[in-house]
Amino acid sequence: MGNKDSSHIDENLDVDILLESYDKETSKLRKLGGNIKNITRAIAIAMSLFHLYTAGFGTLLSYKQRSLHIMFAFVLGFLLYPSSKKSNKEKPSLLDYIYIILTVVVFGYIFVFSDTIAAKGGSATNIDLVLGLLAILITLEITRRAVGPELPIVAILFLIYAYFGPYMPGLLAHRGFSIERIISHMYLGLEGIMGIPLGVSATFVFMFILFGAILDKTGVGKFFIDLAYGLTGSFKSGPAMTAVVASGFMGSISGSSVANTVTTGAFTIPLMKKTGYKPYFAGAVEAAASTGGQIMPPVMGAAAFIMAEFTGIPYSKIIIAAAIPAILYYFAVGTMVHLEASKLGLKGLPREMLPSIRKLLISKGYLLVPLISVIVFLVSGNTPTLAAFKAIIISIAVAIIVAIVKKDKSFTFKDFLDALEAGAKGAITVACACACAGMIVGVVTLTGLGLRIAEIIVTLANGNLLLTLFFTMIASIILGMGLPTTAKYIVLATMAVPALVTLDVNLMAAHLFILYFGVVADITPPVALAAYAGAGIAGANSMKTGLQAVKLALAAFIVPYIFAIDPHLILVENVVGGEVQFISVFQALPVALSAMIGIVCLAAAVEGHLIKNTNIIERIALLAAALLLLKPGILTDSFGIIVLVVIYFLQRNKLKNPPAFE
């Protein structure tokens, strides 16, 4: 892109420092040195190489693949995450080494004796029970360190529930299980610590985290920002729209709201402030846009891979279903941003100040090859693990070819090793969360709690679908505030989804509904980590930034209700036994257009501006139109269109020089 845009980048912003400040996982990491640093690096690289090998040449049996994965993750976790703020931040303690030894013994036992354990059918010896108890305690401890205390607390409450079932009130009561039975179920079976969530982490999720790490080393992040800047910099919403588009690009491969906010925000937030946006608004735009990355295909977040396992629906079909809602999310945020720019009277930058899209694609277009290839592989029927493996090989091959042709050192062997290390470190928190959440799932399957919770939700809502969706949304957001998206999704998939399915919500729509609102929790105060990261970069008030981010994403809240009521928005006719019956894009157009009209109406009502500031009557009418468009239909759609068109022309007639929507 040349040097034309370099003046817009705040060189005082260090992405690594920002990540340490606002990303919970990064901020806890030790700064290791000496031999232990080299040993930790070697273990991380070995972990990535192990997963690369099994992805390309066949995964091991479930017990073996998952036990090795958890050993790598937990050992790295105890080396990198101190037990408390007072612990030594430069080297592990004696206690950490004890935990590491116990980890190897406890999960190494499963790896070595996997055939014997499988043959037991759940029956446990005294040694099994001792090791099982240690496995539970180790899992709770490493999750507390790496993820935070909330998830282990929830897991402990579930374990207590499994034991005290006979003393529970009403529908929550069950016959109760002995401590031995609970330990055996959590440790020896494939429905506890070693359950589906960890299985997904050990295959699909790890490979896509590694894919993202390798892409990052090839410079794709900078390319996405430059591309978005060139595409949108001339809009009146200019840099803010750049943030929306760049964050959508980056989020599709990063899967982390906070990392996405910091990476793209280091560029876009200072630029927005210079253009005329208030600091809290600039931070909120980046946070809202970055948060949507977890629902943006082709990669999405880790929860999407777990969804594939829980539903039995191939991941390639999940990304097809998620595409239109993800586009509508960004359309909603972009609409709010544009209306704010129009309200403030801002102007875009002249085209000559922006990078040339043509030159950018010619000089750096090769960076898109791995992304295009992973989409092709997924759609053509490859498993996500194999698709990621092939895309990684292509990424490395392209980087090497470019380095040779251009005779530069843009991607060296050290960069490759750094990517392997970064991929393994990035997978630690996901593996810990999946292992701990596996215990929650284990209790649900052991006690039948999922069906009981579903019955309670439906009873509270009196069988009303909208109320059930509303209660589920609130539960998703509340859980999402304290739990990582992956863990939150696992909990609600086992408890809330059955309630939605009972009321005839499409299976795919039900799972996407809880994923959607769990993701939004990253910008919902009081625990809005992405918003707080944006506020830190912008130098703005954290709470004010969080509230503004919710406001920006508010129009997007309409989308999940629409596809829960009418799954045509996710291109789905029906789901039978994991087989998805899709409709054509043309059949989905009426519902998608209805959603877009509803988004514009809600955005204008919330922002108080269409082409000029709205009065109270116009805002109420626009809000009513948006709410009616929740249920697609001729009458509701007609009302929404009429309201929007009438208010537009009323406002247009009051302006001497009506603005073009640019």
Side-chain angles (χ1 to χ4, degrees), residues 99-183:
Y99 275 124
I100 288 169
I101 293 170
L102 290 175
T103 294
V104 174
V105 171
V106 167
F107 295 104
Y109 176 80
I110 290 181
F111 180 81
V112 174
F113 298 104
S114 57
D115 293 338
T116 306
I117 291 170
K120 286 180 181 179
S123 61
T125 63
N126 288 336
I127 292 177
D128 294 334
L129 294 175
V130 171
L131 294 179
L133 179 60
L134 287 173
I136 291 171
L137 295 176
I138 290 169
T139 301
L140 292 172
E141 170 59 15
I142 191 58
T143 306
R144 180 191 68 82
R145 293 189 186 195
V147 180
E150 298 87 0
L151 182 55
I153 289 171
V154 173
I156 290 169
L157 291 175
F158 271 74
L159 291 171
I160 291 172
Y161 170 76
Y163 182 76
F164 287 103
Y167 307 100
M168 293 291 118
L171 287 173
L172 293 176
H174 62 88
R175 66 186 180 88
F177 296 89
S178 67
I179 292 176
E180 292 81 1
R181 179 75 178 90
I182 294 169
I183 292 175

Side-chain angles (χ1 to χ4, degrees), residues 2 24 105 345 414 452 487 589 606 640:
K24 285 198 301 186
V105 171
K414 182 181 180 299
R452 291 183 173 89
L589 275 179
V606 171

Side-chain angles (χ1 to χ4, degrees), residues 359-431:
K359 290 180 180 178
L360 190 60
L361 289 174
I362 291 173
S363 64
K364 297 285 186 179
Y366 61 85
L367 290 171
L368 292 174
V369 172
L371 275 175
I372 294 170
S373 68
V374 79
I375 296 171
V376 171
F377 292 140
L378 285 169
V379 173
S380 62
N382 286 265
T383 65
T385 306
L386 189 57
F389 173 78
K390 291 179 178 178
I392 286 172
I393 299 302
I394 289 174
S395 301
I396 296 168
V398 168
I400 291 172
I401 291 168
V402 170
I404 293 172
V405 171
K406 291 191 172 184
K407 296 181 180 179
D408 63 16
K409 295 182 178 179
S410 58
F411 188 80
T412 64
F413 184 67
K414 182 181 180 299
D415 291 323
F416 173 62
L417 293 180
D418 288 345
L420 294 179
E421 181 183 7
K425 288 181 177 179
I428 294 171
T429 54
V430 176

Side-chain angles (χ1 to χ4, degrees), residues 39-108:
I39 291 171
T40 303
R41 177 175 168 84
I43 293 171
I45 291 171
M47 181 181 185
S48 289
L49 290 175
F50 161 69
H51 285 85
L52 268 174
Y53 177 80
T54 56
F57 300 97
T59 56
L60 307 180
L61 295 176
S62 296
Y63 276 114
K64 290 183 179 292
Q65 181 81 18
R66 297 174 192 184
S67 59
L68 268 183
H69 175 72
I70 204 172
M71 267 196 284
F72 273 123
F74 283 16
V75 168
L76 285 173
F78 285 118
L79 287 171
L80 290 167
Y81 291 91
S83 62
S84 69
K85 292 181 180 179
K86 296 180 181 179
S87 300
N88 193 318
K89 294 295 179 67
E90 296 179 357
K91 62 180 181 179
S93 66
L94 176 61
L95 181 62
D96 295 320
Y97 289 119
I98 292 172
Y99 275 124
I100 288 169
I101 293 170
L102 290 175
T103 294
V104 174
V105 171
V106 167
F107 295 104

